[in-house]
Amino acid sequence: LIMAIINHESGFQPDVTSSAGAQGLMQILPSNFADLDISDGYNIEQNVDGGTKLLKKCIEMYGGNVEMGMIAYAGGCG
């Protein structure tokens, strides 16, 4: 699942930035960095670890529904 998200979000390019400012492999917004223990959005390890935490949070928001969690991840959990 994580590999599919990375492929969709960044095409496995760790240095990519979206037009909205999301960074790295899992396209995480800098406003989420502190909550996810990310100091460098382009650091592969930090980005994937933080993105995985964020995805888990989104899935939990929807009672374990993976599909809804993925939609929330793509649109922003907030």
Side-chain angles (χ1 to χ4, degrees):
L1 179 59
I2 298 301
M3 296 290 279
I5 290 171
I6 291 171
N7 184 48
H8 176 76
E9 293 290 334
S10 67
F12 293 97
Q13 297 178 12
D15 59 348
V16 69
T17 303
S18 75
S19 60
Q23 298 177 1
L25 290 173
M26 294 192 72
Q27 290 293 280
I28 302 170
L29 289 168
S31 59
N32 292 316
F33 286 3
D35 291 338
L36 302 171
D37 297 320
I38 297 173
S39 60
D40 177 1
Y42 301 108
N43 176 287
I44 293 170
E45 193 171 314
Q46 288 182 27
N47 190 281
V48 173
D49 185 54
T52 301
K53 288 177 187 175
L54 183 59
L55 177 62
K56 180 181 178 190
K57 176 182 173 183
C58 291
I59 292 170
E60 287 174 348
M61 282 177 45
Y62 289 94
N65 184 316
V66 175
E67 184 177 1
M68 289 300 296
M70 289 175 54
I71 292 168
Y73 182 90
C77 283

